[in-house]
Amino acid sequence: MTQQPFSRPGAIDLSALKRPAQPPLGAPGAARGSSPAAPSAGHSAYSLDVTEANFQQVLESSMTAPVLLVFYSRTRMPESGDLADDMAAVSGEFEGRYLVGLVDIDAAPQIAQAMQIPTIPLVVAVVDGRPMPLMQDVVPIEELRTALTQVGQQLTAQGITGRHQPRGTAPVDGEEPEVDPRYAAAQDALGEGNIDLAVAEYQKLVDANPADTEAAAGLAMAKVLQRTQGVDLNAARAAAAEAPDDVDAQAMVADLDLLGGHVDDAFNRLISLVARTSDAERTKARDHLLGLFAAVGNDDERVLAGRRNLASALF
């Protein structure tokens, strides 16, 4: 997929959550019939079946808050239907952070063709009308919750805090879409390109409630954006190549790698630096790495692996 850098206002990089591809749509699978008109089990106020009739409306709702389109077929791959059920079930837990649209490709093949869907299952995130592949595998429901939580943290770091209203309700004419007021000031600052103010606003939230994981992730990512403002990528890489043990030079490239979606590269660069340095320089490199862990999310598998590798480098 095409990567969207974290630093681009209104966009979010989701590429690192992409899973290995499953068999093509034409691949055989055990049949398990379903009625096209029947809703999937576990629907919530924030999920619905997508048809040709409501497809455009669903896409337009991504201008308010992200939409997650789940493409599945119970006849071609029964497990993909299980993912659709789980996505619908957990959608209510995020209280409007996402609207989950379930697309049965057998009932609505034109939608799959229009979106150029190559495999099932496939979860596509649509933000401001822009589709971005998110997940291409059936995962346990707990892992699904973790992945959606991480996506929410990334969205918050970008100032994207809008929420969908529960199905069956509609905003009053003239009202703005509902947003989480906790993040309004930081969101406005990011939208205006005022990264320094965004850092200050996220810091206030973290100081008031250290358990607010979305605010903590937003603060960590906003600090990455703050550090990399106006930095030339090529110049930064050249400086790092010339000074492999310079913590500031290596940390800058790690920040840029993170913004570009190269999370493992960012972590490994700093872990290697920790292994090569000592005393104050080692502490500085470690602390910077911990900040990047926070930006990605402490439950992320890459962060868990990074912490293990950091421990090995330290001891």
Side-chain angles (χ1 to χ4, degrees), residues 9 32 51 56 64 71 83 109 114 182-183 224 245 255 274 285 297:
R32 187 170 87 184
T51 66
Q56 188 60 39
T64 298
F71 293 88
L83 176 63
R182 293 177 299 168
Y183 309 115
V224 175
D245 293 332
D255 284 349
V274 167

Side-chain angles (χ1 to χ4, degrees), residues 124-240:
V124 174
V126 186
V127 180
D128 292 337
R130 299 192 300 273
M132 296 169 281
L134 175 62
M135 187 179 300
Q136 286 182 282
D137 198 8
V138 177
V139 298
I141 194 167
E142 289 303 321
E143 186 175 337
L144 189 62
R145 288 190 176 99
T146 298
L148 295 183
T149 298
Q150 293 164 1
V151 171
Q153 292 171 347
Q154 294 182 39
L155 290 166
T156 298
Q158 290 301 308
I160 302 173
T161 60
R163 293 180 183 264
H164 294 279
Q165 296 211 355
R167 290 180 60 210
T169 66
V172 177
D173 289 343
E175 282 190 356
E176 293 293 324
E178 182 181 358
V179 297
D180 190 325
R182 293 177 299 168
Y183 309 115
Q187 175 189 11
D188 291 343
L190 287 171
E192 295 167 0
N194 191 337
I195 305 301
D196 293 341
L197 179 58
V199 169
E201 293 297 336
Y202 278 127
Q203 187 66 62
K204 291 178 185 177
L205 294 173
V206 172
D207 290 343
N209 181 14
D212 187 338
T213 57
E214 287 196 16
L219 174 61
M221 186 58 71
K223 286 183 175 180
V224 175
L225 297 174
Q226 186 181 52
R227 292 193 295 265
T228 56
Q229 286 185 96
V231 174
D232 181 87
L233 175 60
N234 292 330
R237 289 196 180 281

Side-chain angles (χ1 to χ4, degrees), residues 6 16-17 146-155 157 212-221 224 258 263-264 267 289-307:
F6 282 110
L17 295 178
T146 298
L148 295 183
T149 298
Q150 293 164 1
V151 171
Q153 292 171 347
Q154 294 182 39
L155 290 166
D212 187 338
T213 57
E214 287 196 16
L219 174 61
M221 186 58 71
V224 175
L258 190 76
V263 176
D264 289 330
F267 290 173
L289 177 60
L290 294 178
L292 298 192
F293 286 164
V296 174
N298 288 323
D299 292 330
D300 189 286
E301 292 179 358
R302 296 160 300 179
V303 171
L304 297 176
R307 288 188 181 279

Side-chain angles (χ1 to χ4, degrees), residues 59 62-63 65-69 115 124-132:
L59 290 182
S62 73
M63 305 304 292
V67 170
L68 304 181
L69 296 177
M115 295 288 291
V124 174
V126 186
V127 180
D128 292 337
R130 299 192 300 273
M132 296 169 281

